[in-house]
Each structure stands twice: as structure tokens, then as C-alpha cells.
Amino acid sequence: MKFNKVLNSIKTYEAGKPIELVVREYGIAPKDVVKLASNENPIGTNPAIAKVIRSHADIAHLYPDDSMFELKAALAKKYNVEDTNIIIGAGSDQVLEFISRAVLDENASVLMSGVTFAMYEIYAKQMGAKVYKTMSHEHKFEEFMEAYNMYRPKVVYICTPNNPTGDATSKEDVIALIEAMGSDTVIVVDGAYMEYAAAKDEKYRITPNDLLGYDNVIYLGTFSKAHGLGGMRVGYGIAQAPLIKELYKMRPPFNITTLSLRVAIEATKDDSFVQQSVALHQEQIKRYEAFADENSIGYIDSYTNFITYLFDENLNSSHIADALLKRGVIIRDLASYGMNAIRITIGTEEQNSTFFRHFSEIIA
């Protein structure tokens, strides 16, 4: 059987290991497994969401409102935009897929930082496009512009805060990059972790309205992180109406579920849960920074709900990740990104204490 030749250059995306795998392979009870690998919200979901799921369970056999009128209206009000500026996806990564399919082909290329969200590359390669990366994981103006002027990519990805490293790019620097690039390039500003960056430092806060003055820029947001709705898969893109109109040609009907739509609408009604989530993160991440300083471990200053620990030649990220896994602690090994590093989602106080206890024993 023959497959599309572009598949030869694509590596399958590896999601964080599930709790079920650890239970199955290591015989650890589910209650004893601590999952800090996939940047999920450690305090779960807003209790109001559970009520919505229960109250709408009897309409799960019905397709959702494909216009998504209520959700788009709520997002439009939140961000002071029009509903024609919004497209909804099954996670913001589906909007990334729409962009790739709408813009890229085998004659096109994309540009991204040296270490960033893997799906940018995967979606580009699915369309046969070339992928170019800067030397460093930060979004450095000089590196991006040198590569941009050399390759003239059709799509540029700016992930801020950046996944999987955790660093962020200021609004001023993002605008500088946008204005230095041509209008024939689609610029994607991925703000999946923006709630955390904005709470840490206002200069890193970017809103869709900051970017609507540019007809080639699209902002991506998600309900998966601070809202605690990763399992519901709802994300969105916000851009000028002509760009959104073209992306709609890529969207399949009913691309999120009936229950996903209802809970996303509920999530836009009250920001108190998001504020609670961010507050817990700000408190607990200090423990990770202090631990790293006390144990001479490098780390990237994080603007997300996770932290990246950087190791020297005395520690091996894959060995550490495997040893933690056997103890029921799931974190993300970044060896596949070419980094001797691990990414740890900031959990609850109890989850973090469990991590530090096992990690201390392993590195000792």
C-alpha cells in the first residue's frame, strides 16, 4: 500500500503519557499516580462546568449549534471584537490545521523558533511545506528576521508563552516582528498560556485586539489550560474577518461536540476559576524555582503553568523521566526536542511535594 510521500518526513506527535499506562505497566494504583506532563489544570474544572455536563447529558445525541453563536458572542464581548473575527476549533491546534491547509503547499515554507510546539512542524509537513527554525528557542528578532528575509515563509509561528520551554515574548517585541514582516505572510500568535504570562508581567499580555490592526495576523486561544477544559477540546482563532472567512472553508461541520460547546459557553461567564488557577500556579512555581536554586539546577524563567529544568552532563533527562515514571510521577522528557531537560506541570501543593520527594532521591 502506498501512502503520501510527505509522511516519510513526519514524526508522530507524542502526547504526555496517560495515567492508565503507568497503572498498566508498573502496577501502581491510580490514586498514587501524579501526572505532571501535559500542562493540565491541577485543580480540575470549575464546579459549574460539571453541573452543565450533567444538565445537558440528555442532549448528547444532538449535533451542536454549528453557528456556535453563543460562544462566539461571549468571546466577542470578552475581547471586544466581532463574531465575524472568530473561528472555533477542536482545540486551538485544529485552527493551526485550518491555517496550514488554507495557505501551504509543496512550494511554501514556514518559520518557527528552534524549540516550540511540535504540531506547527507536523501540520506544515503534512502539506509538503518546508520547515525552517531559528537557532534558539527564544523568539529573537534578529534570528527571525534573518531567516524571514532568506526564506520568505508563508507562515510564521510566534508561540508566546512558548511551549515546551516556558519563556515569553513581550507584546512590544511581537509587534516589532509583525511590522517587520510582509503582509503576504500569515503570522500566528499562539497565546495558549497567555493567562499565566499576563498575570506575571503586564508587558507580556497580548490580546486579540492588539493584533486586529493587521490583516495577516491571527491570535490563538484555548480553554484547555487555565480554564481546565483540556478534555473538552475547545480553542479559537481571532483575526480580521476576511482571513477568518477563508479559514472557514477548511472547517468541517460540527467540529466540536454538543457538550464541549455548552461548557465553553459556561466557562466564559466567570473568570474567578481562572484567577484561582493562576494564583495557585504563582504560589507553587516558587517552590520549583527555589528547589532548582538550592540544587544548582538550571531552569527557564516560566510564564506558563509549567517549568523547564535544564540539566548538565551529570544528569540525563531520559533516565530521570524513566525513573520518575516507575515511581508513578509522569513528567515530560524534552530529549526529543534536542534538549537535556524535563518539563514539569506545576501541580497542587501535594502533587508538587510528591515530585520533589522522588526527584530528590533520584538525582541523589
Side-chain angles (χ1 to χ4, degrees):
M1 183 181 295
K2 288 188 176 181
F3 295 95
N4 192 318
K5 64 181 180 181
V6 301
L7 298 184
N8 296 328
S9 65
I10 298 174
K11 293 182 180 179
T12 302
Y13 180 82
E14 293 185 16
K17 290 181 172 60
I19 292 173
E20 292 82 359
L21 179 145
V22 180
V23 171
R24 186 170 60 249
E25 293 194 1
Y26 300 107
I28 300 172
K31 65 180 180 61
D32 296 326
V33 178
V34 175
K35 187 183 180 187
L36 301 174
S38 299
N39 308 333
E40 294 144 330
N41 193 316
I43 59 175
T45 300
N46 188 335
I49 297 299
K51 293 180 181 178
V52 170
I53 293 173
R54 286 193 295 268
S55 65
H56 288 81
D58 61 344
I59 63 167
H61 64 293
L62 300 176
Y63 288 118
D65 170 13
D66 198 47
S67 73
M68 303 182 197
F69 174 81
E70 284 186 74
L71 179 55
K72 289 196 289 186
L75 288 170
K77 182 179 180 181
K78 176 180 179 178
Y79 290 121
N80 192 27
V81 300
E82 301 295 328
D83 61 358
T84 54
N85 298 128
I86 302 169
I87 187 168
I88 306 297
S92 56
D93 46 338
Q94 188 182 40
V95 184
L96 289 169
E97 182 183 10
F98 297 160
I99 295 166
S100 292
R101 290 172 56 205
V103 175
L104 300 176
D105 57 28
E106 66 276 6
N107 298 313
S109 65
V110 302
L111 173 63
M112 63 195 73
S113 68
V115 179
T116 192
F117 186 41
M119 292 308 300
Y120 302 152
E121 179 174 354
I122 290 173
Y123 283 137
K125 286 185 173 180
Q126 286 176 359
M127 300 307 299
K130 296 181 178 64
V131 175
Y132 298 108
K133 300 180 181 181
T134 62
M135 292 296 294
S136 56
H137 64 78
E138 300 101 337
H139 292 71
K140 294 182 177 180
F141 182 89
E142 294 79 9
E143 289 184 4
F144 263 79
M145 290 313 302
E146 180 180 1
Y148 177 83
N149 290 325
M150 184 178 299
Y151 303 116
R152 291 290 169 175
K154 290 293 293 181
V155 180
V156 172
Y157 297 101
I158 302 174
C159 188
T160 182
N162 193 22
N163 178 25
T165 55
D167 58 292
T169 308
S170 70
K171 178 169 73 173
E172 180 181 1
D173 289 343
V174 169
I175 296 298
L177 277 170
I178 291 170
E179 294 189 342
M181 295 178 180
S183 60
D184 58 340
T185 296
V186 175
I187 301 173
V188 180
V189 178
D190 190 343
Y193 299 89
M194 188 56 66
E195 292 89 348
Y196 300 95
K200 181 171 181 174
D201 191 333
E202 272 293 321
K203 76 177 184 180
Y204 294 95
R205 181 192 296 274
I206 301 174
T207 70
N209 228 298
D210 295 325
L211 308 177
L212 271 185
Y214 307 96
D215 60 10
N216 62 320
V217 179
I218 182 167
Y219 176 94
L220 301 187
T222 184
F223 287 93
S224 294
K225 307 305 178 185
H227 286 281
L229 294 176
M232 285 295 173
R233 310 302 299 126
V234 186
Y236 51 89
I238 301 180
Q240 285 195 14
L243 176 53
I244 296 297
K245 183 179 180 180
E246 293 305 309
L247 295 184
Y248 252 88
K249 297 175 182 178
M250 303 293 111
R251 188 187 75 91
F254 312 118
N255 62 314
I256 64 172
T257 71
T258 298
L259 292 179
S260 296
L261 179 58
R262 297 314 309 177
V263 300
I265 293 168
E266 181 66 29
T268 62
K269 295 179 180 179
D270 182 9
D271 276 342
S272 61
F273 180 80
V274 170
Q275 293 166 3
Q276 178 187 357
S277 301
V278 172
L280 170 69
H281 161 77
Q282 290 178 310
E283 170 191 304
Q284 290 295 312
I285 196 171
K286 294 174 184 175
R287 298 177 64 189
Y288 282 86
E289 294 168 344
F291 182 93
D293 291 337
E294 292 165 5
N295 291 274
S296 300
I297 295 172
Y299 64 91
I300 296 173
D301 188 24
S302 176
Y303 292 80
T304 62
N305 67 344
F306 60 83
I307 192 167
T308 298
Y309 274 3
L310 306 169
F311 301 137
D312 59 21
E313 65 278 1
N314 297 313
L315 295 173
N316 180 281
S317 66
S318 297
H319 294 167
I320 289 171
D322 287 343
L324 284 168
L325 192 65
K326 292 173 183 176
R327 292 167 175 245
V329 179
I330 313 172
I331 53 87
R332 190 65 181 263
D333 178 20
L334 299 186
S336 62
Y337 289 86
M339 300 178 70
N340 185 24
I342 60 172
R343 187 189 71 187
I344 314 129
T345 305
I346 308 303
T348 63
E349 181 176 2
E350 182 181 2
Q351 289 174 327
N352 297 330
S353 294
T354 300
F355 167 81
F356 289 127
R357 175 163 53 85
H358 290 297
F359 185 58
S360 297
E361 293 173 358
I362 289 168
I363 64 174

